Amino acid sequence: MSEGVEWALHSCLNLAWAGPDRPVTAARLAAYHELPAPYLNKQLQALVRAGIVVSTSGPRGGFRLARPLARITLMDVVAAVEGPDEAFRCAEIRQQGPGGGAPASYRLPCAFAHAMARAELAWRRELAGQTLEDVREQAEAQAPAAPERLRRWLANG
């Protein structure tokens, strides 16, 4: 999974903490965690295409959440940034080399492909079952001053 997923998740949380009426630019979101703004902007554009955030242009423009954190799952963000493709792609290498001459043994899917698909389904279900609101609650329990620290930082910039 790319680092863009982590960046997108934190950006969503920071947008929530900034408040619904305060658009934040990609440059400002990137500066808060000392990230490269052009790369973070790509992640934010992916979130826009997925309907997770909205973008407004102009001098007071920036990014805002498109819906409440309780209606955004971790899987929504992962799929927006990484795309819908499966993480494991079986290339059927078992059909190459010395074992490649036994086509009858390849009627069923590769056992590794089957195991990986089951694991990925469980992973996707787990991510789909957790909202950004769930994570916000945990983040604020771990660092209660974080929302106000972000808002002060944004106000001074």
Side-chain angles (χ1 to χ4, degrees), residues 85-145:
D85 295 338
E86 294 177 354
F88 181 79
R89 290 174 199 89
C90 181
E92 282 292 337
I93 66 167
R94 66 189 178 146
Q95 295 184 36
Q96 298 170 207
S105 62
Y106 307 126
R107 282 181 280 142
L108 296 175
C110 172
F112 286 117
H114 179 73
M116 296 299 265
R118 284 191 8 238
E120 182 159 347
L121 181 58
W123 173 76
R124 286 177 180 265
R125 282 183 179 151
E126 183 65 25
L127 292 178
Q130 292 185 62
T131 68
L132 292 183
E133 179 65 19
D134 300 330
V135 177
R136 182 200 60 79
E137 290 172 3
Q138 182 181 357
E140 289 178 8
Q142 293 173 341

Side-chain angles (χ1 to χ4, degrees), residues 20-130:
D21 300 325
R22 182 186 189 122
V24 183
T25 66
R28 208 65 183 127
L29 285 167
Y32 191 71
H33 291 293
E34 299 178 354
L35 304 172
Y39 186 65
L40 178 61
N41 190 56
K42 289 180 184 179
Q43 312 317 313
L44 293 168
Q45 292 304 323
L47 295 176
V48 168
R49 286 188 298 276
I52 295 170
V53 301
V54 293
S55 174
T56 53
S57 57
R60 300 181 61 89
F63 295 91
R64 292 179 294 106
L65 289 173
R67 56 189 194 258
L69 291 180
R71 292 188 37 226
I72 304 169
T73 69
L74 297 179
M75 191 67 232
D76 292 335
V77 176
V78 170
V81 174
E82 294 289 305
D85 295 338
E86 294 177 354
F88 181 79
R89 290 174 199 89
C90 181
E92 282 292 337
I93 66 167
R94 66 189 178 146
Q95 295 184 36
Q96 298 170 207
S105 62
Y106 307 126
R107 282 181 280 142
L108 296 175
C110 172
F112 286 117
H114 179 73
M116 296 299 265
R118 284 191 8 238
E120 182 159 347
L121 181 58
W123 173 76
R124 286 177 180 265
R125 282 183 179 151
E126 183 65 25
L127 292 178
Q130 292 185 62

